[in-house]
């Protein structure tokens, strides 16, 4: 039997079904990693600090979500770290060390990131998970900057990228080693089996959650320390988070979120409202 790169084994699928996540080591090659990191360096060099950009925060999403954020669904947009500025709104360090993330259409608008996002191995893996007509609905390059890389509070991806029925899967690629010290992912194994807790809605007044966040106990979380090149596959209902980076080393990652467009409907009250429908990775 010929095994196609990216295909998941029955053991891997069983682990994913039980735990809600799966770590695929060495999913990206060193060449792919360096290509994406080099391209992001170029994008940052070209980025004009005085241009329109906003702060990104998962703690204050209602306050920091603005037109710049909404328009990023179909653009390459830059978002600052909360702690990047002093009291006079001046950057405390170079822009390269002050950006929280770049998103949300890298996979569409940039050839280097599109090459990985639409690769055969990504499509093969999604076929293994049962996708029929998947689209990448958003992509992000996340920096987790040394010393100021912000916390990402416990959440479920389906809250933000809701389809009926739910179909979101997160693909989180480590572009540098992710450790407990520099802000690796943490998750509650099996929490996806409890279903979706709340939704992040967009209406005339802006964005808001329809319910308050539950309280989570840190002892229920497990850390996912991974090497550069590892891909973490995340079920849309899995509770996951990451802490601030208090180390002197960054934790770069490239994140994709995929939803199916076969037999399901994109919710009109999601924050992403596209003018042009995304192209499917494949149709089967």
């Amino acid at each position: 039997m010929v095994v196609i790169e990216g295909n998941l084994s029955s053991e891997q699928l069983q682990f994913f079904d039980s735990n809600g996540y799966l770590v695929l080591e060495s999913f990206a090659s060193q060449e792919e990693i360096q290509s994406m990191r080099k391209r992001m360096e170029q994008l940052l060099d070209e980025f004009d600090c005085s241009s329109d950009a906003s702060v990104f925060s998962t703690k204050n999403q209602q306050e920091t979500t603005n037109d710049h954020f909404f328009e990023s669904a179909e653009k390459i947009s830059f978002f600052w770290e909360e702690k990047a500025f002093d009291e006079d709104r001046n950057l405390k360090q170079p822009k390269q060390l002050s950006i929280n993330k770049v998103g949300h259409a890298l996979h569409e608008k940039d050839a280097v990131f599109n090459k990985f996002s639409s690769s055969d191995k990504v499509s093969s893996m999604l076929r293994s998970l049962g996708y029929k007509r998947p689209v990448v609905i958003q992509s992000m390059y996340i920096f987790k900057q040394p010393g100021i890389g912000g916390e990402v509070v416990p959440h479920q991806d389906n809250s933000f990228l809701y389809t009926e029925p739910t179909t979101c899967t997160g693909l989180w690629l480590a572009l540098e080693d992710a450790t407990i010290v520099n802000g690796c992912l943490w998750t509650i194994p099996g929490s996806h089996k409890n279903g979706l807790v709340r939704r992040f809605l967009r209406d005339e007044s802006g964005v808001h959650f329809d319910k308050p966040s539950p309280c989570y106990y840190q002892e229920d979380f497990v850390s996912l320390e991974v090497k550069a090149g590892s891909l973490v596959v995340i079920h849309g209902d899995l509770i996951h988070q990451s802490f601030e980076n208090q180390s002197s080393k960054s934790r770069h990652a490239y994140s994709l979120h995929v939803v199916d467009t076969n037999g399901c409907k994109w919710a009109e009250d999601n924050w992403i409202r596209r003018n042009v429908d995304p192209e499917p990775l494949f149709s089967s």
Side-chain angles (χ1 to χ4, degrees):
M1 181 180 73
V2 177
V3 178
I4 301 174
E5 186 182 17
N7 272 7
L8 301 178
S9 66
S10 57
E11 291 81 10
Q12 288 172 321
L13 289 169
Q14 186 175 4
F15 184 93
F16 181 74
D17 181 63
S18 297
N19 294 279
Y21 72 90
L22 181 66
V23 176
L24 302 174
E25 296 179 352
S26 302
F27 189 86
S29 67
Q30 285 300 314
E31 181 182 1
E32 288 173 314
I33 293 169
Q34 291 307 316
S35 177
M36 285 186 273
R37 291 194 62 183
K38 183 178 179 180
R39 179 58 183 143
M40 184 49 64
E41 285 181 12
Q42 294 171 337
L43 289 172
L44 274 177
D45 285 343
E46 296 165 4
F47 169 57
D48 180 4
C49 283
S50 63
S51 65
D52 185 29
S54 58
V55 168
F56 178 76
S57 168
T58 63
K59 288 183 176 180
N60 304 298
Q61 279 169 321
Q62 288 174 248
E63 289 78 9
T64 59
T65 302
N66 54 18
D67 287 344
H68 177 256
F69 192 91
F70 291 140
E71 292 166 3
S72 71
E74 293 177 287
K75 294 167 59 177
I76 297 176
S77 301
F78 296 77
F79 298 87
W80 301 110
E81 285 284 0
E82 274 190 292
K83 297 181 179 180
F85 300 93
D86 61 22
E87 293 178 355
D88 297 320
R89 293 296 296 168
N90 296 313
L91 287 176
K92 293 189 281 188
Q93 51 195 6
K95 63 181 179 180
Q96 288 84 354
L97 295 174
S98 303
I99 291 290
N100 172 288
K101 70 174 182 178
V102 176
H104 288 92
L106 277 167
H107 63 286
E108 284 185 342
K109 302 298 184 182
D110 187 88
V112 172
F113 289 95
N114 176 266
K115 184 177 181 180
F116 174 82
S117 307
S118 59
S119 62
D120 289 342
K121 59 187 172 186
V122 169
S123 291
S124 296
M125 184 196 56
L126 293 172
R127 281 194 178 92
S128 296
L129 291 174
Y131 280 87
K132 302 299 183 185
R133 194 174 182 272
V135 299
V136 178
I137 199 64
Q138 71 173 24
S139 56
M140 299 176 284
Y141 191 107
I142 307 165
F143 294 85
K144 208 69 158 179
Q145 300 285 9
I148 64 169
E151 174 186 4
V152 177
V153 298
H155 67 282
Q156 298 167 297
D157 293 335
N158 273 329
S159 295
F160 303 90
L161 307 167
Y162 185 75
T163 61
E164 297 177 345
T166 53
T167 61
C168 182
T169 298
L171 308 177
W172 190 94
L173 179 70
L175 298 177
E176 295 182 294
D177 293 352
T179 67
I180 289 175
V181 178
N182 72 359
C184 69
L185 296 176
W186 291 73
T187 183
I188 303 178
S191 57
H192 65 300
K193 293 184 177 293
N194 298 324
L196 186 60
V197 173
R198 61 177 183 160
R199 286 193 56 208
F200 188 67
L201 305 175
R202 178 179 176 182
D203 56 27
E204 307 78 33
S205 60
V207 292
H208 61 93
F209 286 101
D210 61 350
K211 298 174 185 175
S213 175
C215 291
Y216 298 104
Y217 299 101
Q218 193 53 44
E219 58 264 29
D220 293 334
F221 285 84
V222 299
S223 60
L224 300 182
E225 292 189 293
V226 296
K227 294 290 187 182
S230 296
L231 183 77
V232 184
V233 185
I234 302 170
H235 189 284
D237 282 344
L238 186 76
I239 305 294
H240 58 290
Q241 67 174 348
S242 65
F243 293 107
E244 286 188 351
N245 180 3
Q246 299 180 339
S247 77
S248 59
K249 181 171 172 51
S250 58
R251 191 226 64 187
H252 290 195
Y254 180 52
S255 174
L256 301 170
H257 288 97
V258 180
V259 297
D260 214 340
T261 58
N262 182 72
C264 63
K265 182 182 179 183
W266 178 254
E268 293 182 359
D269 53 3
N270 282 329
W271 80 266
I272 289 180
R273 296 179 183 175
R274 291 182 54 104
N275 296 308
V276 179
D277 289 337
E279 288 292 322
L281 295 175
F282 60 82
S283 185
S284 60

